[in-house]
Amino acid sequence: MKMLRFRSPSVSSLAQEVQCTVRLLDDSEISCSIQRDTKGQFLLDHVCNHYSLLEKDYFGIRYVDPEKQRHWLDPSKPVVKQMKCQQPYTMCFRVKFYPQEPIKIKEELTRYLLYLQLKRDVYHGRLLCPFTDAAYLGACIVQAELGDYDPEEHPADYISDFKLFPKQSLKLDSKIMEIHQNELRGQCPALAELSLLQRAHTLDTYGVDPHPCKDFTGSTAFLGFTARGFVVFQGNKRIHLLKWADVSKFKFEGKTFYVIGVQREKKLVLTFHTSTPASCKHLWKCAVENQAFYKCAKSSQIKTVSSSSIIFKGSRFRYSGRVAKEVIEASSKIQRDPPVVHRSLSVITQPTVHSAGLSALKDSVHLSPLKPSIHVDHEDEACAALTISDTAYSPCASVVPTPVEESQGGLNLLFQSPARLLKELHADPEMQLELQAERERELTREAFRQSLCSPSSGRQQMQACLLSAARLVVMATGLLVILLPLLLVLLESDLDISFLHDIRQTPEFEQFHYEYYCPLRRWFLCKLELMTEQLWGD
């Protein structure tokens, strides 16, 4: 008999079970039934127990809502409250934080799962790489799947059965076969997978889950987060790398995302615009989680952050897992017999997709080997069905073309001369509207300055300024009269009211109480005691 926890308004709602299906990295699926109050951590632990996985902090569960917006399942919140789609729920098990140094992963099982994720990244174009690296990665996959080359068993065009990249040419196939037959000969599957991890982690797009957006000029950019820091890509080129030590804060307001940091000892503020407020909030949450995971030395250093600098406004969020240094330390302490790794054969007869040059950015061909589903994760079904261009994009269409041959000259077209760029910007209808609005604002400011200089209106302007100042003083006084007693009640009284108790338990209030209020209170009492002693002494 199942035990029910009576925390929901209805006992029958707790008794109702919800069916969940989680798609794994090898495209297999596992299903389970959960209660309506089951938290996301249970589902993640269920998948990890299926694998017998201990180094599970690198992984997470993703889902897509009916608006095609991606989300990471929050382990600390009930699954039902996070899912906005209809039952049964379908989610995907994916790598959430890519290890900075894969060699430090303790168990072969964890390395195999990371290998599966990177193979998907290569296949769907998220792992951008030059021609030589693409050939080496493809050869590692072939070596892990087929083993050593055998001329009696493998035909001359055996690589053509593999669909490894969005763009796969005969030249690339020839180079893959050359490396597979010579450099990787004798490597077992585990060693071939490790060779892929070692090469992949040196690439700029390793661990990047691209978030499409617009920069301040209106150009399409892709934002990402790696173990090194915050990165920005335009086309096939990384144009920004802000290391975690130089990142101060991430903020968002509506559809605008802000990155605040320091570069060359000067404050830096980068502004980007997303397609929807939901995608901007998802981008902000990913930024906060990656910053906490890679930057903090201990999980106790993680603080609750707010999306805005104004108190009690905006969204608040806190990463609740372990950080990278703690995960590596915990991995080094694992002492058990290595679990058996059950490798699955890939689907190697995918149809070849033809595209030319950099036009793959706008290629809408369905590249996924998975079955389409409205609830399935972002990088497989949703991304391939959408297009990316300079004028229309979707956060689910996270496809960057790969591989790029070193001899291609099309990369230079992405970055044109300033004069040509300004000409194109001024020709853009949206930019013309913005320039017209800026001219109108400038004319309004000029008219206001002229009115201030007029002698006849000087007295009226002075009266208006005095009236505004008086209103400001009255409003500030009213707020102090209301908020000061409430603050004193929170800080000094022992009233055990649930509302006050909840406020006292928040990390922001505890930080304010111990770091600011208590020192100020001690200083004030000390000064008061000195004044009292001087008065009595006199």
Side-chain angles (χ1 to χ4, degrees):
M1 180 178 180
K2 295 184 178 180
M3 297 184 64
L4 302 179
R5 289 170 285 176
F6 298 93
R7 292 193 298 175
S8 297
S10 171
V11 177
S12 60
S13 64
L14 264 180
Q16 182 181 357
E17 291 186 344
V18 179
Q19 296 296 322
C20 292
T21 299
V22 181
R23 184 162 290 160
L24 306 180
L25 287 163
D26 59 358
D27 294 341
S28 63
E29 296 179 352
I30 59 173
S31 301
C32 65
S33 300
I34 62 173
Q35 301 292 336
R36 299 189 63 85
D37 65 340
T38 300
K39 294 185 178 181
Q41 187 64 49
F42 170 83
L43 205 57
L44 182 60
D45 291 340
H46 178 72
V47 178
C48 293
N49 292 336
H50 168 79
Y51 278 119
S52 187
L53 177 66
L54 293 182
E55 297 171 295
K56 56 186 177 182
D57 299 87
Y58 298 115
F59 302 89
I61 295 179
R62 301 198 82 153
Y63 65 94
V64 179
D65 64 19
E67 285 73 33
K68 302 295 183 181
Q69 175 57 49
R70 303 170 297 171
H71 301 276
W72 284 107
L73 193 68
D74 192 334
S76 62
K77 295 181 180 179
V79 176
V80 175
K81 291 186 178 180
Q82 300 180 62
M83 303 294 291
K84 300 179 181 179
C85 55
Q86 295 181 354
Q87 301 178 22
Y89 300 146
T90 304
M91 291 162 275
C92 291
F93 179 74
R94 296 291 182 262
V95 174
K96 187 176 184 179
F97 302 110
Y98 288 69
Q100 185 173 9
E101 299 179 78
I103 195 66
K104 292 185 178 180
I105 297 176
K106 181 69 176 291
E107 296 195 320
E108 178 186 341
L109 172 64
T110 313
R111 290 194 294 270
Y112 172 66
L113 295 177
L114 178 59
Y115 158 79
L116 291 179
Q117 178 66 65
L118 289 173
K119 191 168 67 169
R120 301 182 76 90
D121 293 345
V122 168
Y123 179 78
H124 292 284
R126 287 183 296 272
L127 189 59
L128 187 67
C129 47
F131 180 80
T132 54
D133 290 321
Y136 186 84
L137 296 181
C140 289
I141 295 174
V142 175
Q143 180 68 25
E145 299 282 346
L146 296 183
D148 291 340
Y149 170 72
D150 187 351
E152 297 181 357
E153 181 181 351
H154 302 133
D157 59 345
Y158 67 98
I159 294 296
S160 62
D161 292 335
F162 283 84
K163 185 63 181 72
L164 303 174
F165 298 93
K167 298 189 300 179
Q168 194 162 324
S169 62
L170 295 176
K171 180 181 178 181
L172 180 60
D173 288 348
S174 177
K175 188 64 175 178
I176 291 175
M177 288 190 292
E178 178 185 345
I179 298 175
H180 172 233
Q181 296 171 13
N182 300 301
E183 295 185 30
L184 303 180
R185 188 171 187 83
Q187 291 190 6
C188 63
L191 187 55
E193 293 160 5
L194 181 59
S195 299
L196 182 141
L197 302 186
Q198 288 294 91
R199 178 63 67 91
H201 96 281
T202 63
L203 301 174
D204 289 340
T205 49
Y206 169 74
V208 173
D209 181 21
H211 299 260
C213 64
K214 299 280 187 179
D215 62 10
F216 71 98
T217 66
S219 302
T220 300
F222 295 90
L223 312 186
F225 312 98
T226 69
R228 298 179 62 190
F230 168 75
V231 292
V232 182
F233 288 86
Q234 277 189 344
N236 298 334
K237 196 169 185 178
R238 188 183 71 191
I239 62 172
H240 275 298
L241 170 59
L242 199 60
K243 296 183 179 180
W244 289 121
D246 299 329
V247 177
S248 302
K249 187 178 181 181
F250 296 102
K251 292 171 52 180
F252 84 95
E253 294 178 3
K255 296 188 289 185
T256 305
F257 179 70
Y258 301 95
V259 182
I260 303 171
V262 178
Q263 194 172 53
R264 298 176 183 175
E265 299 181 355
K266 293 183 179 180
K267 185 177 180 180
L268 175 69
V269 179
L270 300 176
T271 305
F272 302 93
H273 304 282
T274 61
S275 59
T276 62
S279 62
C280 195
K281 185 175 182 179
H282 170 68
L283 174 60
W284 173 71
K285 282 188 173 183
C286 290
V288 171
E289 288 186 320
N290 279 272
Q291 184 183 27
F293 183 81
Y294 292 115
K295 186 177 181 179
C296 295
K298 298 180 180 180
S299 56
S300 58
Q301 298 176 352
I302 302 174
K303 297 181 180 179
T304 302
V305 296
S306 174
S307 63
S308 177
S309 58
I310 304 176
I311 302 177
F312 300 119
K313 182 181 179 181
S315 301
R316 296 196 305 170
F317 181 68
R318 182 181 185 275
Y319 170 63
S320 57
R322 293 192 292 187
V323 300
K325 293 183 178 179
E326 292 176 333
V327 174
I328 295 174
E329 183 180 353
S331 298
S332 64
K333 298 179 181 178
I334 295 177
Q335 294 181 352
R336 68 167 180 175
D337 293 333
V340 178
V341 179
H342 300 282
R343 290 176 170 83
S344 59
L345 294 178
S346 301
V347 179
I348 63 175
T349 57
Q350 296 298 326
T352 303
V353 178
H354 298 280
S355 59
L358 295 179
S359 63
L361 270 174
K362 299 181 180 181
D363 188 9
S364 60
V365 179
H366 190 72
L367 300 176
S368 173
L370 305 182
K371 297 179 182 179
S373 172
I374 192 173
H375 310 306
V376 179
D377 193 27
H378 65 294
E379 71 263 28
D380 302 331
E381 286 76 6
C383 69
L386 300 171
T387 60
I388 303 176
S389 66
D390 292 335
T391 57
Y393 63 92
S394 168
C396 295
S398 303
V399 179
V400 183
T402 182
V404 178
E405 295 191 11
E406 295 170 339
S407 59
Q408 285 182 345
L411 297 181
N412 296 327
L413 300 176
L414 296 172
F415 300 94
Q416 304 164 356
S417 63
R420 184 175 178 182
L421 179 60
L422 287 175
K423 184 178 179 180
E424 292 181 357
L425 288 176
H426 283 279
D428 187 7
E430 295 182 359
M431 184 59 64
Q432 290 181 1
L433 292 175
E434 293 182 5
L435 291 174
Q436 182 65 27
E438 183 63 29
R439 293 192 197 100
E440 293 177 357
R441 288 193 292 269
E442 185 63 29
L443 291 175
T444 303
R445 288 193 292 267
E446 184 65 25
F448 180 72
R449 286 194 294 267
Q450 291 179 359
S451 65
L452 289 177
C453 297
S454 176
S456 59
S457 61
R459 181 174 298 177
Q460 295 179 356
Q461 296 292 337
M462 182 62 69
Q463 291 177 354
C465 290
L466 291 175
L467 183 60
S468 299
R471 289 175 179 173
L472 182 61
V473 171
V474 170
M475 291 180 61
T477 304
L479 288 174
L480 285 175
V481 169
I482 296 173
L483 295 178
L484 189 60
L486 177 61
L487 187 61
L488 291 176
V489 168
L490 285 170
L491 294 169
E492 297 292 343
S493 71
D494 295 328
L495 294 177
D496 192 12
I497 303 176
S498 60
F499 169 70
L500 300 178
H501 178 74
D502 292 340
I503 296 178
R504 292 191 184 106
Q505 295 297 319
T506 58
E508 293 86 351
F509 184 85
E510 292 181 353
Q511 182 180 7
F512 170 76
H513 183 268
Y514 292 110
E515 295 185 12
Y516 297 100
Y517 177 73
C518 289
L520 180 63
R521 185 171 179 270
R522 288 193 295 269
W523 177 84
F524 180 76
L525 292 176
C526 182
K527 291 295 182 181
L528 184 63
E529 185 177 353
L530 289 175
M531 292 175 60
T532 306
E533 291 178 356
Q534 290 178 358
L535 290 175
W536 282 105
D538 294 340

